[in-house]
Amino acid sequence: MSTLNEIKEIWKIADAVTFDVDSTVIQEEGIDELAKFCGKGDEVTGLTNQAMQGCMTFDQSLKVRLDIIKPTKALIEKFLETHPPKLTPGIRHLIAALHLRQKEVFLVSGGFRCLIRPVADILNIPTKNICANSLQFYFTGEYAGFDKNEPTSKSGGKAEVIRRLKEERGLETVVHIGDGATDLEACPPADAFIGFGGNIVRDFVKSRSLWFVSDFSELIKALDD
């Protein structure tokens, strides 16, 4: 079992940091916002909370929520036009600080690539460093499901992504940061986990996080402490 001081040392020497996106890098849950846009907000938000608290498997929750929303390609495009990303305060500075120290940054999310690309663009994170789910559409543009081969579509998927990143990219020390139950599952193989509560505090995560922060400035400061 690591101690808080050990986690802080790992944070300083890590060669890569993986971030959850919804309620961590951005202030909202992307799938909830998409559901509201489609008039299905109330139905979907409760399911998101259950998934984040670990009350149902992630893949179960993802399928049920998408079956409710049934987002078309045109609807996704309209949503992106009218809903620019709401970045969490301090995330720009934190990622800039990590890049300055030559640390690789990845976005690892149970959300969707199409919604995450604009976030990555703003933060200067290359598209190849997005690990997320892919929506599928019929040639008519109607919703056809999601790619079930993506590891992030399943419970335990973030751990699988980090395992692959270590194996395929030669990363030695990885820290994962996030707010939900699926983020806790990522450590191990992540060498350390930092719980984040700047947008929403999930007691299930806070109680199991040796290092839990609500402000990214704490992490920037700790890089040089």
Side-chain angles (χ1 to χ4, degrees):
M1 174 67 74
S2 298
T3 66
L4 175 58
N5 285 337
E6 286 171 339
I7 292 174
K8 288 185 174 183
E9 285 303 310
I10 292 170
W11 170 242
K12 287 192 282 189
I13 67 166
D15 50 359
V17 180
T18 56
F19 285 88
D20 169 54
V21 177
D22 296 337
S23 296
T24 301
V25 171
I26 63 173
Q27 298 178 50
E28 304 166 324
E29 290 288 327
I31 194 168
D32 289 353
E33 294 306 307
L34 182 62
K36 290 175 191 174
F37 186 71
C38 300
K40 305 287 186 178
D42 291 342
E43 293 176 69
V44 168
T45 299
L47 289 168
T48 298
N49 287 333
Q50 287 183 51
M52 291 302 99
Q53 295 288 350
C55 299
M56 63 192 302
T57 64
F58 184 79
D59 41 332
Q60 287 174 331
S61 170
L62 186 62
K63 183 180 185 307
V64 171
R65 287 181 289 172
L66 284 173
D67 284 346
I68 291 170
I69 302 169
K70 295 189 185 305
T72 64
K73 198 168 188 178
L75 188 146
I76 292 286
E77 291 170 357
K78 185 66 175 175
F79 176 78
L80 290 171
E81 287 175 11
T82 57
H83 288 72
K86 294 182 180 179
L87 296 181
T88 299
I91 190 63
R92 287 178 187 260
H93 297 299
L94 174 56
I95 290 180
L98 294 172
H99 283 155
L100 186 65
R101 290 162 177 79
Q102 306 300 312
K103 298 179 187 291
E104 282 218 67
V105 176
F106 297 85
L107 300 179
V108 181
S109 174
F112 308 108
R113 275 192 177 83
C114 57
L115 303 184
I116 294 171
R117 282 193 197 101
V119 178
D121 289 344
I122 294 170
L123 297 172
N124 296 315
I125 296 171
T127 301
K128 68 177 183 178
N129 285 13
I130 299 173
C131 307
N133 292 317
S134 298
L135 292 174
Q136 297 173 324
F137 303 96
Y138 294 111
F139 71 93
T140 58
E142 298 300 307
Y143 172 68
F146 60 94
D147 186 351
K148 295 179 181 178
N149 293 318
E150 293 283 4
T152 48
S153 70
K154 307 173 184 68
S155 293
K158 291 182 181 180
E160 176 62 16
V161 166
I162 292 171
R163 185 193 67 76
R164 291 185 188 183
L165 288 175
K166 284 186 159 189
E167 184 178 288
E168 296 169 7
R169 305 271 188 113
L171 301 173
E172 292 186 7
T173 306
V174 177
V175 175
H176 184 66
I177 300 172
D179 72 292
T182 59
D183 299 301
L184 279 171
E185 295 174 342
C187 183
D191 299 276
F193 171 70
I194 301 171
F196 183 70
N199 293 306
I200 184 169
V201 176
R202 305 189 196 279
D203 291 336
F204 178 87
V205 175
K206 184 176 182 180
S207 65
R208 289 162 176 78
S209 302
L210 282 175
W211 195 5
F212 189 86
V213 303
S214 297
D215 192 321
F216 285 131
S217 63
E218 181 177 340
L219 299 183
I220 297 171
K221 183 175 183 294
L223 286 169
D224 297 317
D225 281 350

